[in-house]
Amino acid sequence: MILVFIAAGLVICAGCTGTDSSPATQAPTVQPTVTPTSAPAEPTKNSDLVPGPTQQPESKYQVVVGVDKDTVYGTITVGFRGGMGQNYVNNIQVDCYYADGGHETKELSADKVRDTVTFDGGQKTQDRIKVTVNYEGSVGSYVIYDSLVPKKEIIPMMK
């Protein structure tokens, strides 16, 4: 009986070391399914950060505002610089739409050239500033400035 077991062992070992001319069929590998515990937060587009169209009134009603964002602190300063139409202005409304979804409105004095308002913008983000000038009488209202600050410029590739 012992010889039978030894002979069977030798036959099995001899079969394992021989070469097989038929192509090997691989068993399909099963990949374990990993279920994430929480889905990663995808950035959302804030529709308030999309600037709209601007419009200028006739030249005799035009006024000028300046918009500047401090590159270190992120503070946004909007200033009234006057213009030919400053005597017709009722008020100047400045809206700041923050990158985090917040919104703030302030008013510039139409009677005071060099009047400024400031907003605490983000240091490393673009915020949107919209300036609406409301005129007296039938002149109407005009959005004279609507832009992301700071503006990101596209630098053309040199060939």
Side-chain angles (χ1 to χ4, degrees), residues 44-119:
T44 57
K45 281 212 166 206
N46 187 347
S47 62
D48 289 338
L49 291 179
V50 178
T54 60
Q55 199 176 18
Q56 296 295 326
E58 292 180 50
S59 61
K60 67 180 179 180
Y61 297 118
Q62 288 183 1
V63 294
V64 179
V65 295
V67 179
D68 184 49
K69 184 168 184 176
D70 185 279
T71 56
V72 176
Y73 300 106
T75 305
I76 302 167
T77 304
V78 181
F80 178 51
R81 296 186 178 164
M84 287 182 61
Q86 71 186 34
N87 292 332
Y88 301 101
V89 174
N90 191 21
N91 65 24
I92 302 170
Q93 179 180 326
V94 182
D95 292 296
C96 181
Y97 298 92
Y98 298 106
D100 65 2
H103 173 250
E104 190 174 359
T105 301
K106 294 185 179 180
E107 194 170 302
L108 282 169
S109 174
D111 297 333
K112 201 185 321 181
V113 175
R114 294 192 189 108
D115 186 30
T116 61
V117 292
T118 58
F119 300 95

Side-chain angles (χ1 to χ4, degrees), residues 9-21:
L10 289 174
V11 171
I12 291 174
C13 286
C16 291
T17 59
T19 59
D20 188 12
S21 62

